[in-house]
Amino acid sequence: MAVDDECKLKFLELKAKRTYRFIIYKIDEKKKMVVVEKVGEPVLNYDDFAASLPANECRYAIFDYDFVTEENCQKSKIFFIAWSPDTSRVRSKMIYASSKDRFKRELDGIQVELQATDPTEVGLDVIRGRAN
């Protein structure tokens, strides 16, 4: 599975310049390539991100989570989320699962990885828990 250059460029912008809050990627089966489907502006929050994940289709996503530590330090963690809802097509789940590691290698700087099959597995409480 090829990876569109824009995927890496948008990720680098999120990582280095904090240009985006999140990036949603999808596999274009006709082109056999991972492409950027949507980017979320920095003013958007977790709820906007969660609403961008389709209920019945697989996606890859990057979410930049800002938080404050117990020592009152402002930090952020970059999450890679493999979104594969139970209701998506079996073929789609297989394509996303088999392409995930190669795609992740293209994005240098991922700090936490999550695999989710329903919204509760990628809830804000889960992200908060994995960030510390």
Side-chain angles (χ1 to χ4, degrees):
M1 189 68 60
V3 177
D4 187 15
D5 287 342
E6 188 188 15
C7 294
K8 292 178 265 192
L9 291 171
K10 296 285 187 210
F11 178 76
L12 289 171
E13 288 173 18
L14 177 145
K15 186 173 91 169
K17 300 180 191 151
R18 316 285 310 266
T19 315
Y20 309 108
R21 172 67 53 213
F22 61 84
I23 307 168
I24 309 286
Y25 301 99
K26 74 176 196 173
I27 292 177
D28 185 322
E29 290 188 35
K30 287 187 182 77
K31 294 181 183 173
K32 296 195 177 336
M33 180 181 280
V34 181
V35 297
V36 173
E37 180 180 52
K38 179 178 183 178
V39 293
E41 299 306 312
V43 296
L44 298 179
N45 62 23
Y46 174 79
D47 293 331
D48 300 308
F49 165 71
S52 299
L53 293 172
N56 301 318
E57 294 178 37
C58 299
R59 292 291 186 271
Y60 299 126
I62 294 291
F63 182 71
D64 186 10
Y65 177 62
D66 290 328
F67 62 102
V68 177
T69 66
E70 289 177 11
E71 296 80 36
N72 215 20
C73 294
Q74 185 71 36
K75 288 197 165 186
S76 83
K77 286 263 170 96
I78 296 175
F79 280 76
F80 175 86
I81 297 157
W83 173 247
S84 184
D86 291 330
T87 52
S88 58
R89 295 184 352 255
V90 172
R91 174 175 160 68
S92 179
K93 287 191 250 192
M94 287 171 48
I95 291 170
Y96 275 81
S98 63
S99 305
K100 181 181 78 168
D101 287 338
R102 175 173 181 332
F103 179 56
K104 259 181 44 196
R105 280 196 299 274
E106 299 283 340
L107 308 178
D108 184 38
I110 293 167
Q111 295 162 303
V112 184
E113 180 185 343
L114 290 176
Q115 174 78 40
T117 58
D118 73 64
T120 61
E121 294 177 339
V122 70
L124 189 54
D125 54 334
V126 173
I127 287 186
R128 208 177 274 130
R130 292 289 303 274
N132 295 325

